[in-house]
Each structure stands twice: as C-alpha cells, then as structure tokens.
C-alpha cells in the first residue's frame, strides 16, 4: 500500500553536501516511522538515521552524528536526509524505509516498506 521513491543522490566531492528525498504514495505516510539505510557491495545494509512517528525521536548511527540530519514533511509525504561534510566512506546506495513501529528502528527487520535506493558517490 506504500511505495517509496528516493532521489537526490549523485557525485560530490569530499566535504560537500547532498540532500536526499524520499517520496511516498500513501495518504497515511505521517503515521509511519521513517529510516535511512545504506548499502555497499559486500556489506549488509547499515542503519543511518531514523525518525519515529508521533513521538518524533531521532536516531543516528555514530559515524554520521553531527553531519547528517533526518527530517520529514508529513503534508507532502516526504522524508529528507541532509548530508553535510561528506566523506568517501559515505559512498553507498541509500535506501529509505517505512515502519509501523515506534521502536527498534535501528533494525532493518522493523521496516515494512523499502525504496529502490539512490546512489551517493563521494570523491576524495
């Protein structure tokens, strides 16, 4: 019932910024917790950031704290990931996901819907 489409990825130099967007088709998008994960070849999906519905709690993986910011615009069914001070280690396919839960948001198993991903490449 919910479809997610990411956009905003691209090629950027180290130290630069990108803003990822994830648009959802569902009218009840504001009732979902939302998360961002990233994946590189040979690695499992890594949690990046999440925002819970209703409570509005924010979660970040340690490596992006102070550099990335997750936010949402419920009226437009969109979640954003502002990425600043990008590093080559941030290079990955970034995926957004939606969950009906408020908790356990650092685990990919908590998410019900996934987007196809958008490529982020950071050059040194």
């Amino acid at each position: 019932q919910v479809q997610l489409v990411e956009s905003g990825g691209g090629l950027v130099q180290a130290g630069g910024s990108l803003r990822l967007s994830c648009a959802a088709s569902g009218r009840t998008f504001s009732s979902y917790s939302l998360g961002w994960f990233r994946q590189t070849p040979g690695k499992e999906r890594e949690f990046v950031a999440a925002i819970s519905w209703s409570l509005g709690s924010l979660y970040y993986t340690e490596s992006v704290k102070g550099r990335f910011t997750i936010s949402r615009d419920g009226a437009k069914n969109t979640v954003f990931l502002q990425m600043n001070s990008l590093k080559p280690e941030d290079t990955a396919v970034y995926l957004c996901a939606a969950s009906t839960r408020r908790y356990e948001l650092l685990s990919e198993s908590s998410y019900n819907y996934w987007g196809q991903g958008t490529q982020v490449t950071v050059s040194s």
Side-chain angles (χ1 to χ4, degrees):
Q1 294 182 356
V2 177
Q3 293 185 336
L4 307 173
V5 180
E6 302 95 336
S7 63
L11 176 64
V12 65
Q13 296 184 54
S17 299
L18 285 173
R19 191 189 193 198
L20 305 183
S21 299
C22 177
S25 61
R27 292 178 294 177
T28 60
F29 191 64
S30 62
S31 66
Y32 288 85
S33 295
L34 302 169
W36 287 94
F37 289 75
R38 62 189 181 187
Q39 187 167 15
T40 57
K43 295 183 177 181
E44 296 182 354
R45 287 177 181 173
E46 176 190 15
F47 170 80
V48 178
I51 180 169
S52 65
W53 68 268
S54 183
L55 186 60
S57 299
L58 304 177
Y59 306 90
Y60 297 96
T61 191
E62 185 67 28
S63 64
V64 307
K65 287 182 178 178
R67 299 189 297 121
F68 291 11
T69 303
I70 186 171
S71 61
R72 66 189 301 167
D73 184 341
K76 297 185 177 181
N77 286 353
T78 304
V79 60
F80 305 97
L81 184 67
Q82 178 67 46
M83 306 186 296
N84 299 327
S85 301
L86 283 162
K87 304 175 181 179
E89 301 86 77
D90 296 317
T91 295
V93 173
Y94 283 71
L95 307 97
C96 68
S99 174
T100 57
R101 304 180 183 275
R102 299 187 191 182
Y103 310 103
E104 303 293 335
L105 297 178
L106 276 63
S107 174
E108 63 179 79
S109 64
S110 296
Y111 293 83
N112 308 90
Y113 306 98
W114 293 83
Q116 293 300 113
T118 184
Q119 177 70 48
V120 172
T121 302
V122 184
S123 62
S124 60

